[in-house]
Amino acid sequence: MFRVYGTSVSGNCHKVRMALEALALPYEWTEIDSMHGQTRTPEFLAKNPNGKVPLLEIEPGVFLPESNAILCYLADDTPLLPRDRLQRARVLQWLFFEQYSHEPYIAVARYLRRFHPDPASQRALAESKSDGGYRALAVMEHQLANEPFLAARRYSIADIALYGYTHVAGEGGFDLARFPAITAWLARVEAQPRYVRMPSE
Amino acid sequence: MFRVYGTSVSGNCHKVRMALEALALPYEWTEIDSMHGQTRTPEFLAKNPNGKVPLLEIEPGVFLPESNAILCYLADDTPLLPRDRLQRARVLQWLFFEQYSHEPYIAVARYLRRFHPDPASQRALAESKSDGGYRALAVMEHQLANEPFLAARRYSIADIALYGYTHVAGEGGFDLARFPAITAWLARVEAQPRYVRMPSE
């Protein structure tokens, strides 16, 4: 059985839970308090030298890090990852977009505002993420204004990856009401079979 | 024939050139001056709404952005991307590591020191990338101390992706002499058939 080492309120970790649930795969979840150093212990670094969650244990002692690599592994040969070469590349396009152009702004702003022990001290830093986050949302809105899902005109791990932090972008100070196509897409994701909500803490 | 829209001195763009050359695929290269706004023109944004290079034109009007998604597309069904599910996930693990934990430090420090019009004004910002960059290099060193290549014990697009900015990390102020396994790996990459050097400007 798969084991996930993860922090439930992390969007990166929640993606993995969403994929496992969507695919009806059995798993156990080991909660890791990444905000209080549990990814930096010698024991955890032996599992993932990069010191990050989520981490998938595929079989005892075989560990796969990087949320979006985990999504690709889980979705391999399933409807969540197209086989067609170009359509699969389009899914990957959005996965890389998410990690480079979206997460560093939207997830970081959310962390600083909601989870940092002294959010007031981080206000300027959080606000410095605003332009980049809105740019990423505008790119998504542009795509979703014409397409029901981000890639391949069907629900895929690209949607799961972008849903992770987009649906809690409000906690990072972003106003999703400005993005009607994103708002409609969030509802389409939440209407998928076996959709699972992010735990509140 | 493929067309690449790219900036030759960009590591992200050079990855695409390396993969095309390694696979002996014919292509044309359209040089884009991304440092002087050529990725932000209406004409370019119509091709890639995220306004970034590299951009692969697969056939007239079909554009694929994101350097590492392009690598996956080009390497599909070739020795540069393993078919085995876990080994392919390992390659993807390093591709996501590169975009999230490596490039934002090493590539950005290099840009600020070498290409910014007023590098002196950017010194503090460049130095703020140092710890993250050295952390990424330490993760690579840990892997390469025991393995000849980053994933699957063979040369793959994971090596091409990480080579892109690692081989010019010195231009970002990083001292690669501290990393003997990385140094030996750079030489192994450069010894690959059809290896192509990054243009100097």
Side-chain angles (χ1 to χ4, degrees), chain B residues 7 9-10 32-39 110-111 115-117:
Chain B
T7 303
V9 295
S10 147
I32 298 288
D33 187 351
S34 59
M35 295 173 200
H36 294 90
Q38 287 188 10
T39 53
R110 172 182 178 247
Y111 170 76
F115 297 104
H116 194 279

Side-chain angles (χ1 to χ4, degrees), chain A residues 2 12 25 40 45 49-50 52 58 62-66 68-69 72-76 83 85-86 88-90 92-101 103-104 108 135-136 139 142, chain B residues 2 12 25 40 45 49-50 52 58 62-66 68-69 72-76 83 85-86 88-90 92-101 103-104 108 135-136 139 142:
Chain A
F2 292 123
N12 280 329
L25 293 167
R40 296 283 167 184
L45 289 169
N50 202 25
K52 292 185 192 298
I58 292 171
V62 177
F63 298 100
L64 181 65
E66 297 293 338
N68 288 354
C72 290
Y73 178 83
L74 294 174
D76 195 50
R83 285 180 188 220
R85 183 183 179 196
L86 179 58
R88 195 164 62 233
R90 293 262 177 249
L92 289 165
Q93 166 194 332
W94 286 102
L95 297 184
F96 286 109
F97 167 84
E98 191 264 339
Q99 286 289 285
Y100 193 84
S101 297
E103 204 266 14
V108 172
R135 238 184 345 254
V139 171
H142 179 270
Chain B
F2 293 122
N12 281 329
L25 293 167
R40 296 282 165 187
L45 289 168
N50 202 23
K52 292 185 193 298
I58 293 171
V62 177
F63 298 100
L64 182 65
E66 296 294 336
N68 289 354
C72 290
Y73 178 82
L74 293 175
D76 196 50
R83 284 179 188 222
R85 184 183 179 195
L86 179 57
R88 195 165 60 232
R90 292 263 177 250
L92 289 165
Q93 166 194 330
W94 286 102
L95 297 184
F96 286 109
F97 166 84
E98 191 264 339
Q99 286 288 285
Y100 193 84
S101 297
E103 204 267 12
V108 172
R135 238 184 345 257
V139 171
H142 179 272

Side-chain angles (χ1 to χ4, degrees), chain B residues 43-190:
Chain B
E43 187 188 5
F44 190 83
L45 289 168
K47 296 182 173 76
N48 179 10
N50 202 23
K52 292 185 193 298
V53 285
L55 182 66
L56 183 70
E57 190 167 12
I58 293 171
E59 56 184 80
V62 177
F63 298 100
L64 182 65
E66 296 294 336
S67 58
N68 289 354
I70 294 171
L71 293 186
C72 290
Y73 178 82
L74 293 175
D76 196 50
D77 221 5
T78 79
L80 292 181
L81 181 56
R83 284 179 188 222
D84 174 81
R85 184 183 179 195
L86 179 57
Q87 295 308 326
R88 195 165 60 232
R90 292 263 177 250
V91 170
L92 289 165
Q93 166 194 330
W94 286 102
L95 297 184
F96 286 109
F97 166 84
E98 191 264 339
Q99 286 288 285
Y100 193 84
S101 297
H102 184 286
E103 204 267 12
Y105 303 98
I106 294 176
V108 172
R110 172 182 178 247
Y111 170 76
L112 295 170
R113 287 177 184 256
R114 180 170 161 195
F115 297 104
H116 194 279
D118 181 13
S121 71
Q122 303 297 311
R123 193 61 182 240
L125 183 58
E127 283 172 2
S128 76
K129 308 299 176 189
S130 178
D131 287 357
Y134 275 117
R135 238 184 345 257
L137 292 170
V139 171
M140 291 177 68
E141 181 77 7
H142 179 272
Q143 176 74 356
L144 293 167
N146 298 305
E147 300 277 340
F149 296 106
L150 286 166
R153 298 192 63 79
R154 71 182 206 216
Y155 186 61
S156 77
I157 53 173
D159 302 292
I160 290 176
L162 269 305
Y163 180 86
Y165 285 107
T166 303
H167 86 290
V168 289
E171 297 176 7
F174 296 95
D175 178 14
L176 288 178
R178 300 187 204 173
F179 301 97
I182 291 177
T183 302
W185 165 80
L186 290 173
R188 278 194 295 279
V189 172
E190 290 164 10

